[in-house]
Amino acid sequence: MTPTDDIQRAAELRALLDRYGREYYELDAPTVPDAEYDRLLRELMALEARHPELQRHDSPTRRVGGAPLDAFEQVAHAVPMLSLNNVFSDMQLEAPVERHAELAQFDERVARELAVLPVEYAVEPKFDGLAISLLYRDGVLVQAATRGDGVTGENVTENVRTVRSLPLRLAGDNLPSLLEVRGEVLMFKADFERLNQAQDALGEKRFANPRNAAAGSLRQLDSRITAKRRLSFFAYAIARIEGAEWPDTHQAEMNWLATLGLPVVEDALRPAVRGLTGLVVYYEEILARRAELPYDIDGVVYKVNRRDQQEQLGFVARAPRFAIAHKFPAEEALTVVEAVEEQVGRTGAITPVARLAPVFVGGVTVTNATLHNQDEVLRKDVRIGDTVIVRRAGDVIPEVVSVVLEKRPMREAAGRDLFSPTLEPVYPSYRLPTHCPVCGSHIAKLEGEAIARCTGGLFCSAQRKQALWHFASRRAMDIDGLGDKLIDQLVDRGMVRTLADLYRLAVAELAGMERMGQKSADNLVAAIEASKHTTLARFIYALGIRNVGEATARDLARHIGDFGALCALAEGIDDPLARARSLDILMAVPDVGPVVAESILDFFAEAHNREVVEALLAVGVHWPQEAAPETGPRSLAGKTLVLTGTLPTLSRDEAKALIEAAGGKVAGSVSGKTDYLVAGEAAGSKLDRAQALGVTILDEAGLMALLEQDT
């Protein structure tokens, strides 16, 4: 007798798989990843194999897809649309034989039954889209139907006609009187991104992935909506031919379809491979370039290449015996959120991170996944204790895709009704902390920005390397020889904890570092010492204030003039009136708007940042007193100039500084708003465009003549 537990488990599996299948195939809204569905299906198949009496005609193991939607006319498939059996590789195993054991078993069975060694296979990617059957009569597309349940599908002809890559009439002469082609409708990654951007603009729900987007688009009752969404198609098989010879091999089949104008993926046109070695080489090659492909694939398909051998092998209940799908390591998996913590990035960005129960996904064991920002956490409603779908594609950082709400830990709400108790989540919604978990500085989130940031830039150890690199860069303090590799060593060894520590470095301790000799150490210390003499504009820029670039730093230095006065603007800004006054003063500076002004105040309001600035001044960083703000007109005020080519005596930076000092703006490209193009030797395309637009062309002498009008 069949054990009761097995009977109950089989019933549970059938119910789950029916539900998940309907969500996937009919509603285009799956709630579990493909890997979870495959795992449950394999468990049911194993149960039915051990206990044949559990097999039922309506078992998910005998079904191929979902029932057709009532909204579409039903189409009976003249040749059933079967699915493929799957094999998996255990990528955690190092030995190739053990890793691909299931594939080896498939090859051994095929070779044994055909009495051929090695077997020749056609190989191609397994698309993650929607299977379609296309019927051409005398070369004209007359019908398109979804897979449905494999026997009956949905008539989606009008929608498929909108797929621009698909020919409505086949190319060439001597076309077959009837040709039924099987293939996949899918959405390329770039088109998927464009669609979701459009959904965002309309305030509509985003699609979860390209497969759902393609399926939802193809099942629109209004084909005009389908036409607005870029769908693509690839053919992968012939189901019927009348009035023409059937090619002898699958590879010849694909080449013939390509000559008819049907889209065929390039991999399907490559030469067939031989034996298990050829299959494994192709699998690992395409797995390595999976992330670079313009479309999603979830595995590869192998088919015995010769048609007579396919016929010899035949079919089982739901799949051909001459073909197999080799699934990739799942890019999505289920796991549980054990905690939510915050990471502080090199630029101060605060990123919520889910700490997960370990799960193998995308070829590695994952214990952490990004939640991006507070808005994303709230949109997905991720909470501690939730069962979530985690995705890892290629080398992309793992992310939480969605929550399986039915598995959320719940408890009876306080003050419950004893007769109909109300349940509430055990854990509350996520809230971003108000202070940096690393340095304790205030966390600020500017209006219009999704990312919150720590305001303790110069003090925060998480941002230390980025702050040092920016401080030493050529356009800031210009410390020659202090590159990112050396900064890594200095910070990792604890030799530099603040910016002021740079000015305390000695030649002896530097000379003993990796890739640093006596001469290099001498040169670096000299460069650090020379950087003490700078300009106010460079110093402001070097501080790395959020949203303050070179031009803004120069404007602040020119119009405020005194660094002490700039710092003082942040005093007492907890008072709304004082803050408003300071913002008004800052926004009087050219090109400083509310966002930049808020960033400046937030920076100087942090006591940590003021302490670092004071330490820099204490070690001798200084600059000449800025001249009084210009009040009269300047020669290039309001003018836009573009620099191109090599000038005789001025460097690009020197010319730019002179132009900006005269009130001009330097742009990177020529447009209708350009007033002058300053052209040197080897000017190139910018000169051509300026001449075409009628822009005034200056050489270095002409530029200097304009600048001399200020003197």
Side-chain angles (χ1 to χ4, degrees):
M1 294 181 61
T2 308
T4 302
D5 288 349
D6 286 349
I7 295 173
Q8 292 176 344
R9 182 55 178 164
E12 291 172 1
L13 290 170
R14 283 193 292 268
L16 279 174
L17 289 165
D18 280 341
R19 174 186 155 194
Y20 295 153
R22 183 170 183 273
E23 291 171 346
Y24 185 96
Y25 289 108
E26 298 170 32
L27 303 180
D28 304 318
T31 58
V32 296
D34 290 353
E36 179 69 3
Y37 183 93
D38 289 338
R39 185 185 69 79
L40 297 175
L41 183 63
R42 287 159 71 86
E43 184 182 348
L44 180 57
M45 292 172 70
L47 271 176
E48 292 180 351
R50 286 201 308 271
H51 306 292
E53 64 275 14
L54 292 178
Q55 295 179 5
R56 291 170 31 170
H57 290 297
D58 63 348
S59 171
T61 61
R62 295 173 179 266
R63 294 182 61 181
V64 177
L69 296 178
D70 293 337
F72 291 98
E73 175 192 357
Q74 296 189 12
V75 173
H77 295 302
V79 176
M81 291 188 71
L82 302 179
S83 67
L84 297 172
N85 286 327
N86 297 324
V87 294
F88 295 82
S89 290
D90 190 343
M91 302 307 286
Q92 298 181 79
L93 299 176
E94 291 188 11
V97 175
E98 296 175 3
R99 186 188 308 157
H100 302 295
E102 291 186 13
L103 180 61
Q105 291 170 9
F106 166 76
D107 178 57
E108 288 169 6
R109 176 183 61 77
V110 170
R112 183 175 61 252
E113 296 190 22
L114 293 177
V116 172
L117 193 68
V119 178
E120 189 177 80
Y121 297 98
V123 296
E124 59 198 36
K126 182 180 182 297
F127 300 109
D128 194 12
L130 192 70
I132 288 289
S133 181
L134 306 177
L135 184 62
Y136 286 87
R137 291 190 182 277
D138 297 320
V140 177
L141 178 65
V142 296
Q143 181 179 280
T146 63
R147 184 198 301 273
D149 61 5
V151 176
T152 305
E154 303 148 356
N155 188 334
V156 289
T157 308
E158 292 307 309
N159 289 350
V160 167
R161 290 183 195 277
T162 69
V163 179
R164 296 186 180 183
S165 63
L166 189 66
L168 301 182
R169 180 183 293 275
L170 299 177
D173 301 322
N174 301 319
L175 297 173
S177 57
L178 180 147
L179 177 66
E180 185 174 349
V181 179
R182 301 282 163 80
E184 198 95 357
V185 170
L186 63 152
M187 185 174 287
F188 278 46
K189 294 174 184 176
D191 296 327
F192 172 70
E193 289 301 322
R194 277 191 286 267
L195 175 59
N196 267 346
Q197 289 170 7
Q199 293 291 100
D200 291 341
L202 294 172
E204 300 288 340
K205 181 180 177 181
R206 293 171 66 90
F207 287 94
N209 52 56
R211 192 268 167 201
N212 287 0
S217 301
L218 197 62
R219 285 184 159 125
Q220 291 291 327
L221 297 179
D222 186 347
S223 61
R224 292 171 297 182
I225 297 176
T226 309
K228 293 178 181 178
R229 299 176 180 177
R230 292 186 174 183
L231 298 178
S232 299
F233 171 85
F234 286 118
Y236 58 64
I238 295 174
R240 287 189 292 162
I241 299 177
E242 293 179 8
E245 290 293 324
W246 205 309
D248 292 336
T249 66
H250 180 76
Q251 185 188 13
E253 203 174 287
M254 293 298 97
N255 278 282
W256 182 56
L257 291 180
T259 65
L260 297 177
L262 285 157
V264 176
V265 69
E266 185 176 348
D267 281 43
L269 303 176
R270 64 189 292 164
V273 304
R274 296 168 66 82
L276 178 63
T277 301
L279 297 180
V280 170
V281 168
Y282 177 70
Y283 174 84
E284 295 190 346
E285 174 217 316
I286 196 169
L287 177 59
R289 57 186 173 96
R290 178 186 190 183
E292 302 169 6
L293 296 175
Y295 41 74
D296 278 346
I297 63 173
D298 57 4
V300 295
V301 174
Y302 312 127
K303 300 174 184 176
V304 173
N305 193 35
R306 283 175 45 181
R307 180 166 170 75
D308 60 339
Q309 291 178 342
Q310 291 182 6
E311 292 174 348
Q312 182 180 340
L313 290 165
F315 299 83
V316 290
R318 63 188 290 271
R321 300 178 75 241
F322 57 81
I324 202 81
H326 191 176
K327 300 293 284 290
F328 287 146
E331 290 192 320
E332 293 184 351
L334 290 179
T335 188
V336 175
V337 177
E338 297 181 337
V340 177
E341 301 174 359
E342 293 74 32
Q343 284 185 347
V344 185
R346 287 165 62 95
T347 61
I350 307 294
T351 303
V353 175
R355 306 300 184 194
L356 308 170
V359 60
F360 191 75
V361 58
V364 299
T365 298
V366 169
T367 56
N368 303 316
T370 180
L371 294 167
H372 298 294
N373 54 62
Q374 178 177 255
D375 293 344
E376 275 292 284
V377 182
L378 297 178
R379 184 180 70 80
K380 295 174 180 176
D381 192 20
V382 179
R383 307 184 186 202
I384 296 171
D386 277 347
T387 297
V388 294
I389 298 175
V390 178
R391 178 176 177 82
R392 180 186 182 273
D395 293 326
V396 176
I397 297 171
E399 67 170 338
V400 172
V401 177
S402 61
V403 175
V404 182
L405 290 174
E406 66 187 45
K407 294 180 178 288
R408 170 168 286 168
M410 304 292 284
R411 65 185 173 194
E412 292 186 2
R416 61 187 184 277
D417 184 335
L418 295 177
F419 298 100
S420 56
T422 302
L423 297 179
E424 65 180 7
V426 172
Y427 294 97
S429 298
Y430 173 79
R431 286 292 179 269
L432 188 75
T434 57
H435 290 81
C436 174
V438 174
C439 70
S441 298
H442 177 65
I443 291 175
K445 183 172 179 290
L446 296 178
E447 185 177 350
E449 286 194 1
I451 298 174
R453 297 180 187 275
C454 166
T455 56
L458 300 180
F459 173 80
C460 183
S461 61
Q463 303 175 64
R464 188 171 296 151
K465 291 181 180 179
Q466 175 69 18
L468 285 165
W469 179 87
H470 176 79
F471 183 82
S473 63
R474 185 168 62 88
R475 298 177 185 276
M477 301 300 284
D478 192 19
I479 303 177
D480 187 34
L482 188 59
D484 52 359
K485 296 288 192 301
L486 182 55
I487 288 172
D488 286 344
Q489 291 186 68
L490 292 171
V491 173
D492 293 344
R493 295 186 184 192
M495 296 168 64
V496 174
R497 296 182 182 276
T498 73
L499 298 179
D501 287 343
L502 285 173
Y503 295 92
R504 302 186 183 99
L505 291 172
V507 171
E509 57 184 342
L510 287 171
M513 299 183 69
E514 183 182 345
R515 298 182 181 179
M516 287 288 289
Q518 180 71 33
K519 184 174 182 180
S520 296
D522 286 336
N523 291 340
L524 178 57
V525 169
I528 293 173
E529 182 65 25
S531 74
K532 289 181 180 179
H533 181 74
T534 185
T535 65
L536 177 56
R538 278 181 174 270
F539 184 71
I540 293 172
Y541 175 62
L543 296 178
I545 304 169
R546 180 79 181 154
N547 297 312
V548 174
E550 287 180 83
T552 302
R554 278 192 293 270
D555 287 338
L556 289 169
R558 183 181 297 128
H559 289 269
I560 293 181
D562 180 69
F563 186 71
L566 180 63
C567 296
L569 292 175
E571 295 177 1
I573 60 170
D574 288 339
D575 176 10
L577 289 177
R579 189 178 189 91
R581 283 195 297 270
S582 293
L583 289 172
D584 286 343
I585 292 170
L586 287 169
M587 287 189 289
V589 176
D591 296 325
V592 173
V595 171
V596 177
E598 291 277 4
S599 296
I600 295 168
L601 291 186
D602 285 340
F603 179 88
F604 287 110
E606 283 292 341
H608 303 314
N609 290 338
R610 295 198 301 273
E611 289 170 6
V612 173
V613 169
E614 289 167 4
L616 287 169
L617 299 179
V619 296
V621 176
H622 64 283
W623 52 86
Q625 183 65 38
E626 294 289 321
E630 297 280 353
T631 55
R634 287 178 288 168
S635 60
L636 294 180
K639 302 296 184 182
T640 298
L641 291 82
V642 173
L643 300 169
T644 186
T646 303
L647 299 177
T649 65
L650 293 175
S651 70
R652 184 73 59 93
D653 287 344
E654 289 169 338
K656 182 179 179 183
L658 290 171
I659 291 168
E660 289 174 342
K665 175 183 176 183
V666 177
S669 59
V670 177
S671 70
K673 297 180 180 180
T674 304
D675 295 294
Y676 300 102
L677 177 78
V678 182
E681 187 179 350
S685 60
K686 290 181 182 178
L687 178 59
D688 296 336
R689 178 160 176 76
Q691 290 171 336
L693 293 174
V695 174
T696 302
I697 311 297
L698 301 176
D699 57 11
E700 183 179 303
L703 172 64
M704 297 307 294
L706 277 179
L707 295 172
E708 287 169 3
Q709 295 177 19
D710 271 353
T711 61

